[in-house]
């Protein structure tokens, strides 16, 4: 299966690069993703990362709206104004830029979180807190899965 699953935390090196987990690099290779589309998540303090297909999916949603509607304008503001293209280096590392650091609070470590068709970059403690909150909310609602 070509899905992003699980999570892993890696240290940022002295040059500001972090190794993308090998399982995630394998999915990118299977999907033949050469350029990463990265955007500031709508809900969480995380950067969402996928291939051009992820951007195209959002652009189809925007195109389905009236181009002058508040929904289309808000979505474009978030998807285009809050997004960048990035590439992995030859060793499978991603540069942790100010775009990533400023939005997430990441400093010396990055937690990579699989989200099926894309993955996210999180500050490790923020991820653990969000995951615990989600688990607690499901438990309170009596949901097992």
């Amino acid at each position: 299966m070509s899905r992003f699953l699980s999570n892993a935390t890696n240290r940022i090196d002295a040059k500001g690069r972090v190794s993308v987990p090998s399982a995630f690099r394998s999915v990118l290779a299977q999907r033949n993703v050469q350029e990463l589309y990265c955007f500031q998540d709508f809900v969480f303090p995380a950067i969402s990362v996928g291939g051009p297909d992820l951007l195209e999916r959002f652009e189809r949603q925007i195109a389905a709206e009236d181009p002058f509607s508040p929904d289309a304008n808000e979505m474009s503001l978030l998807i285009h104004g809050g997004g960048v293209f990035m590439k992995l280096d030859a060793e499978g590392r991603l540069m942790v830029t100010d775009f990533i650091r400023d939005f997430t609070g990441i400093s010396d470590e990055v937690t990579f979180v699989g989200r099926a068709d894309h993955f996210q970059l999180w500050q490790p403690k923020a991820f653990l807190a969000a995951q615990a909150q989600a688990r607690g909310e499901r438990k309170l609602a009596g949901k097992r899965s």
Side-chain angles (χ1 to χ4, degrees), residues 42 55-66 72 75:
F42 306 149
L55 174 59
E56 290 165 7
R57 184 175 75 194
F58 287 120
E59 288 181 331
R60 282 192 302 275
Q61 283 183 269
I62 294 168
E65 299 282 334
D66 173 349
M75 185 69 100

Side-chain angles (χ1 to χ4, degrees), residues 6-104:
S6 196
N7 67 82
T9 301
N10 291 341
R11 293 197 58 74
I12 299 170
D13 70 16
K15 294 183 179 178
R17 303 167 302 191
V18 65
S19 292
V20 175
S22 62
F24 288 13
R25 289 194 316 267
S26 293
V27 173
L28 292 170
Q30 287 172 15
R31 294 179 175 191
N32 196 29
V33 173
Q34 303 298 314
E35 190 170 41
L36 301 174
Y37 167 64
C38 309
F39 70 95
Q40 298 163 334
D41 190 77
F42 306 149
V43 176
F44 298 114
I47 299 296
S48 294
V49 182
D53 59 314
L54 184 60
L55 174 59
E56 290 165 7
R57 184 175 75 194
F58 287 120
E59 288 181 331
R60 282 192 302 275
Q61 283 183 269
I62 294 168
E65 299 282 334
D66 173 349
F68 301 106
S69 73
D71 285 344
N73 278 297
E74 287 172 0
M75 185 69 100
S76 178
L77 184 68
L78 295 171
I79 292 303
H80 299 116
V84 297
F85 283 109
M86 300 181 84
K87 289 188 177 197
L88 298 182
D89 69 12
E91 286 77 41
R93 297 173 298 199
L94 183 67
M95 182 60 72
V96 183
T97 63
D98 288 342
F99 171 82
I100 295 169
R101 291 178 190 272
D102 292 346
F103 190 75
T104 63

